[in-house]
Amino acid sequence: MNYQEIIDQQRHFFNTNATKDISFRIKELKRLKDILKKNEALLYDSIYKDFKKSEFETYVTELSIIYHEIDLALVKVKKWAKKKRASTGLANLPGKSYIIPEPYGTILVIGAWNYPYQLSLCPAIAAIAAGCTVVLKPSEVPSHTAETMAKLINQNFDPSFFKVVEGGVKETTEILNVEFDKIFFTGSVPVGKIIYQAAAKHLTPVTLELGGKSPAIITKDVNIDMTAKRLIWAKFLNAGQTCIAPDYVLVESSIKDKLLSAMKEQIEKSDYNVDNDNYTQIINEKNFDRLNDMIDPNKVYTGGNGNKEERVIPPTVMKDVEFSDKVMQDEIFGPILPVITFNTIEEAIEKVKNLSKPLSCYVFTKNSTVKKKVLNEISFGGGAINDAMMHFTEQTLPFGGVGNSGIGNYHGKYGFETFSHYKSVLQKSFWIEPNFKYSPYSTKKLNFLKRFIGL
């Protein structure tokens, strides 16, 4: 495939200014939603073939989020794209200042495999709302969903505006040699570094949605049953294959046993099973082996014993874990939850800060001092108090990482801003022009300007 030809076509189309028309953006967003709605059965079937994800979970964690992003953009895009007034200083009066949001141009979106529809299409929706053209490269790992997205989009959209390209590492490497106006990538830290290096050759701005070891800090004053319920749901949704899932638990030592017992009871109540349509497979054998190798049988509290043939690892909780253990060396990205104890909140915070900045952080506590201390002292992308992962569902909150967990953010208006350049403009009239900035310069002018600037 000639990727340069694709981007040349998109750049030519963008330069016609067609995408700057708000009515065009609205029409294309409505087209996308209509296509997805009409083909939901195909979308469900494809993702089930990839890792046995149920219709319920696919709608809740993928399609509903996509529909909400489209609906919000349809309502708000006129406001987001509107020219905004800014204040004007005395030095430029009479005059006025304003900011014009303009689309970056031609966009490359590289999606992730764990939520293949949502993490590919939501950035594309934001780019379309901002007035950009889009080349979407979905992950090749869930091959059926990638094929379905390519089919639905390429058969229904002009490729000079919205095009899906399929392929693996080779194809991604080739497309990164082409100059885009913005690149949006969701995936692992190592691949994110490769994307960043490729973008630097063209000085292309990037948004990187990566990951990391997101902690859940739990103090002794919590409602243990509710904490366990929320924590277990967040951790084992999609079999733990979620970038913002709690990666490990830091629990105050005095309630460790109670929390472990409550988590085990919640796992049993949930009856996680692929056949029950409330659990998913590990995406492939490579990841199954990687995860299985992290499990220390001597530290398993519940779970373990994965089935490689079915690519299923049951919800696994590990106790008495140390930061030196293998399970704590990298992001888990699977259904394994290590539990580590602490005695003081200062100790817990120090342990978290010794690792790279996480994408998310969760603190379960009734203590307002502890809450403030965690929020003030730990740097993380986003998070929640007394819950986990649900901050992702709030369209009013920007979603993104910091440090190794990512660069930039999106969701709602923040996605529009991610794909927009905010052009600043000062407008002056001709009817008067103070002479102070023009030569000849003098001490009198200088003294006046000093007094003027000091006001």
Side-chain angles (χ1 to χ4, degrees), residues 45-57:
D45 180 64
S46 298
I47 202 167
Y48 188 82
K49 288 177 180 176
D50 284 327
F51 48 124
K52 292 189 176 179
K53 192 168 183 174
S54 70
E55 182 175 325
F56 181 92
E57 197 164 314

Side-chain angles (χ1 to χ4, degrees), residues 435-436 438-450:
N435 202 36
F436 297 108
Y438 298 103
S439 60
Y441 303 136
S442 66
T443 302
K444 182 179 180 181
K445 282 187 178 180
L446 178 60
N447 289 335
F448 178 84
L449 286 172
K450 285 181 177 179

Side-chain angles (χ1 to χ4, degrees), residues 374-398:
V374 170
L375 294 180
N376 289 337
E377 296 186 21
I378 297 177
S379 179
F380 56 91
I385 308 297
N386 299 328
D387 207 344
M389 293 214 312
M390 290 304 291
H391 66 293
F392 183 88
T393 66
E394 288 297 329
Q395 292 176 311
T396 57
L397 295 176

Side-chain angles (χ1 to χ4, degrees), residues 315-336:
T316 299
V317 176
M318 294 173 61
K319 65 175 183 176
D320 302 325
V321 174
E322 304 289 339
F323 276 85
S324 57
D325 289 348
K326 190 167 189 176
V327 74
M328 291 301 296
Q329 301 312 301
D330 294 296
E331 182 180 9
I332 296 169
F333 218 72
I336 305 167

Side-chain angles (χ1 to χ4, degrees), residues 249-314:
V249 169
L250 280 167
V251 60
E252 201 159 354
S253 55
S254 62
I255 63 163
K256 179 198 73 171
D257 292 338
K258 289 182 179 179
L259 180 68
L260 285 169
S261 177
M263 289 196 297
K264 183 178 181 181
E265 182 180 345
Q266 188 59 43
I267 290 170
E268 291 170 352
K269 281 183 182 178
S270 300
D271 192 21
Y272 287 104
N273 193 310
V274 172
D275 294 333
N276 291 347
D277 286 341
N278 67 350
Y279 204 50
T280 62
Q281 290 178 314
I282 304 304
I283 187 64
N284 54 27
E285 286 192 6
K286 177 182 176 182
N287 275 280
F288 179 94
D289 291 340
R290 177 186 64 82
L291 290 165
N292 210 46
D293 194 44
M294 288 183 179
I295 300 173
D296 181 347
N298 296 317
K299 295 191 175 185
V300 170
Y301 179 76
T302 185
N305 300 320
N307 185 325
K308 186 170 183 176
E309 185 177 342
E310 294 293 325
R311 300 201 322 266
V312 172
I313 295 175

Side-chain angles (χ1 to χ4, degrees), residues 25 77 80-81 84 100-105 107 126-132 181-182 205 207 413-423:
R25 307 181 201 181
V77 66
W80 295 339
K84 297 168 178 63
I100 304 173
E102 66 173 14
Y104 264 117
I107 305 299
I128 291 171
C132 300
D181 294 309
K182 179 75 184 269
T207 295
K413 75 169 184 175
Y414 302 99
F416 179 92
E417 291 171 356
T418 285
F419 294 104
S420 299
H421 165 64
Y422 283 79
K423 185 162 54 181

